[in-house]
Structure formats: C-alpha cells, structure tokens
Amino acid sequence: MDFQEKTGLPHTQDVPAFLEGLRRLKEESGLTLRQLEQRAAAKGELLPRSTLSSMLSGRRLPRPELLATFIRACGHEERVDAWLAARDTLAAGVRSEEDSAETAPAPAGPDPAAGPGPVPAAPVPSTDTDTEGRGTHTSRSRPYRRLLRPRLLVPLAVVALVGATAGVLGTRSEDPGPGPATAADAARESSGQTTTRTAREKGEIPRGAIRLHPLSADRLCLTDGHVRDGRYHSQVAVQRPCDEAPPQKTELRREPGSDGYRIQWHHPEFGTGCLKVLDSGPGKGLLEPWDACDRAELFQVVPAPGRGVVTLRTEGGRCVGMAEPVSAERTEAVAQRCTTGRHQLFRVEPAD
C-alpha cells in the first residue's frame, strides 16, 4: 500500500475525510504526540502536544503552518505541498458554500393556476455529519458555534411552528439561562455558597462578549498571549491592555444542565476555543484554548464582594489567579490554591 492509499489524500472530498487522513497519517507514523513534538523541535519548529491533540480531534481545517509542521514531523516532507494544496481546495469550497448560502434566492411559491400538486415529502437529514451527529455543512457555515451543542434538524412540514417559536429557541441556543431552583441550591444559598445560577440572576455575568479584569491590575484584560519565559509555546491566557484584546472576544457560556461555565474565546483567524487548565508538562497550571470545548475546563463562577466581581474555580477545586508580578502586563493566568487575594478576583463587564 503506497503513501497516498494509506493517508487517503486523493480521496479527501470534504473536511471530515481530510481530518481522517491526518489521523491515519499519524497512526502510520507509529509516533506518539510527544515524539512528534520532539521531531518538530529537532528541526527548529513548534508542534505542542496539546495543539496537535486538538487538531487531530477537532472538526475544522488546521492552519497551514500547523499542517506543514505536522506532515514534516511524520516524515513526509516531500508531501507537504500536496497536503497544503488539498487543504486550500477544501478551504475555498467552504467559503464558496458560505457565499452560496448567503446569496441563494428563496424558492418560488406554487402557481395557484396549476391547482394542488403532490404533497412534498419531509426532507431526509443529511448524512454528512461529524462523529457527534452535527451536520458539517451547518458547522462550516457557522464556524463559531460548531462546538457548542447539536442543533435540531427540522422538516419543512413544521416550518410554521419553527417560525412561531424562533425567538425562544434562538435565545436558548445562545444561553440556556438559569434552570429552576432546587433544594440543593437553597441549601447552598443558606450556607453562603452562592451558585452560578444566582450569579447570573444577580447580574454578575453579562450575556455576550465580556471583559475579565483582574482586580490586581484592573486596567488590564484577560486575553490571549504567550508565556514570558518561553517554556510553553502555545497561546495561553495572560493579562494585557484591553485595547490589545481585539479581535479576540471572550464569553462566559453556561453549560447546559450544569452550574458550570466555559470561558470561550472567538477569533476570526483561529476560530472558537475554550480554556483548559493544563495538568502536566511545561505548561502545567496554565490556561490554554482548546478547539474541543466539551473537553475544556468547566468553571464555577462564584460572586465576590463588589459589583460584577467573581472568582473562577476550576474542576480541581483551585482558583484562577494571576502569577507574579500580579500587576504586570503579559503575566499569565494560572490555577492556584484559593485565597482571598485580589489577584484571584475578576471584574466581569460587557465588552464595548
């Protein structure tokens, strides 16, 4: 079996097939993520394991430079141009589909003079879905929402019903909102442990794009950046002047059926990612954006004294805080033992 047959490169007719080819290429190399990272580093290139893992488990095309580094690390430098060409072709197709969806005319209505015609059958949902059952065409046309949740496929026969309830469904799609109070909620509130549901109800968590200001450096915002000492090469959460944050946008997204929130980043070039606390390696304790939001950190947003002030507690019971020096630009956010320090308090406000 030659290289092309192994990778499926000639048969990459869509994005899922292309990504499957990358996974097959990694398997055929027989290398672990760590070994691929080390091979790239030996050539003076960066291929962090966490970034590579997100690429192989993701559902969108990787950036060209990441793809080229991965192909070379797998030992197929002579095939880099072919893979890049295939990626560019698919990327152009995605853009074409988006343009077509925006400019397609509405279907013409029936001719009254022709009399009643046959009743059209309800459409069959497309089989072009990813492994979680989400339609890839819908995901590509709305790239910033592809990881949030599955969407319903509604037959044409109930279009009228959809129109009547579109406002309600649209609101729930953006944010499920607080659920009904439970006995557990009441017990936590009576003991002083305010729930995240209560935090949103009290207004500490604005909807939509927000800014997170560390109280230890209130003129700065939590956004993307790199580790100052160079020990970790992927983007992580750091504090920078707020006017440097765009075009990246931040949201706190309530996880359906949970009191937890995802810290979600939106970037026009890199797409959507959710912050994950790294638990090992040179980046241990740092917060890194992952494409796979369902595998990212689920934070508890706990109100603190002061309007819009909260603490961000991790799944491991730690708190997000700023490293030393806490007031300096580009200082990293890290998971720390919880204290009452201002470096672990964040003021949440709507973005301008």
Side-chain angles (χ1 to χ4, degrees):
M1 180 180 295
D2 63 20
F3 169 75
Q4 291 186 344
E5 291 175 330
K6 291 177 181 178
T7 61
L9 181 58
H11 310 295
T12 53
Q13 313 251 338
D14 55 25
V15 174
F18 184 88
L19 297 175
E20 178 61 26
L22 292 180
R23 289 187 283 268
R24 292 176 61 185
L25 183 61
K26 188 264 180 188
E27 292 175 3
E28 292 293 335
S29 74
L31 299 171
T32 65
L33 297 181
R34 181 183 295 275
Q35 290 170 330
L36 287 169
E37 180 183 40
Q38 292 171 342
R39 291 187 64 163
K43 298 180 181 180
E45 298 181 304
L46 299 177
L47 191 62
R49 296 191 301 278
S50 58
T51 302
L52 181 54
S53 175
S54 295
M55 181 190 78
L56 294 174
S57 62
R59 288 168 179 78
R60 63 184 176 93
L61 291 170
R63 300 189 301 274
E65 63 273 16
L66 175 61
L67 174 63
T69 301
F70 170 70
I71 300 300
R72 283 191 287 268
C74 287
H76 296 289
E77 188 162 358
E78 75 284 358
R79 300 295 298 174
V80 169
D81 289 343
W83 276 95
L84 289 175
R87 180 208 175 276
D88 291 345
T89 299
L90 289 172
V94 171
R95 288 192 294 270
S96 177
E97 287 181 10
E98 293 174 356
D99 294 341
S100 298
E102 292 176 358
T103 60
D111 182 359
V119 177
V124 179
S126 168
T127 57
D128 183 15
T129 58
D130 61 28
T131 56
E132 296 183 8
R134 284 170 269 196
T136 55
H137 290 301
T138 302
S139 298
R140 289 197 294 267
S141 64
R142 294 174 178 260
Y144 292 160
R145 298 184 59 191
R146 72 191 186 286
L147 295 173
L148 298 183
R149 62 175 63 195
R151 290 182 294 280
L152 297 177
L153 295 174
V154 185
L156 290 179
V158 294
V159 166
L161 178 59
V162 172
T165 58
V168 176
L169 292 179
T171 301
R172 292 182 179 176
S173 173
E174 289 300 319
D175 195 298
T182 64
D185 291 338
R188 284 194 293 269
E189 291 180 1
S190 64
S191 63
Q193 301 176 16
T194 308
T195 67
T196 54
R197 178 184 64 82
T198 305
R200 170 147 279 174
E201 286 179 343
K202 290 183 176 180
E204 281 87 355
I205 306 177
R207 302 178 189 275
I210 62 166
R211 287 178 173 174
L212 285 170
H213 298 274
L215 288 197
S216 53
D218 199 41
R219 63 187 177 84
L220 304 179
C221 285
L222 197 68
T223 184
D224 59 325
H226 291 87
V227 179
R228 292 164 295 169
D229 60 12
R231 71 183 185 278
Y232 194 69
H233 301 294
S234 292
Q235 285 189 334
V236 296
V238 304
Q239 59 184 15
R240 292 196 287 137
C242 297
D243 59 2
E244 294 182 9
Q248 188 263 88
K249 295 182 180 180
T250 301
E251 288 189 57
L252 279 171
R253 287 282 193 171
R254 174 79 172 270
E255 181 70 8
S258 167
D259 282 342
Y261 286 79
R262 311 281 186 191
I263 301 178
Q264 191 172 88
W265 285 355
H266 304 269
H267 195 286
E269 179 182 355
F270 305 126
T272 296
C274 295
L275 294 186
K276 169 70 175 177
V277 176
L278 302 179
D279 57 9
S280 63
K284 184 176 181 179
L286 297 171
L287 279 65
E288 181 182 45
W290 281 26
D291 289 342
C293 281
D294 56 344
R295 297 169 55 196
E297 201 75 18
L298 196 59
F299 294 92
Q300 295 294 317
V301 181
V302 183
R307 182 174 178 79
V309 178
V310 300
T311 60
L312 302 171
R313 293 183 182 174
T314 71
E315 295 177 69
R318 300 172 75 80
C319 289
V320 176
M322 305 312 300
E324 294 286 349
V326 297
S327 61
E329 293 183 13
R330 306 188 187 282
T331 294
E332 304 87 3
V334 292
Q336 308 170 326
R337 180 178 60 85
C338 294
T339 69
T340 57
R342 291 173 61 82
H343 65 292
Q344 291 184 359
L345 297 174
F346 296 86
R347 180 166 56 85
V348 186
E349 67 176 19
D352 295 336

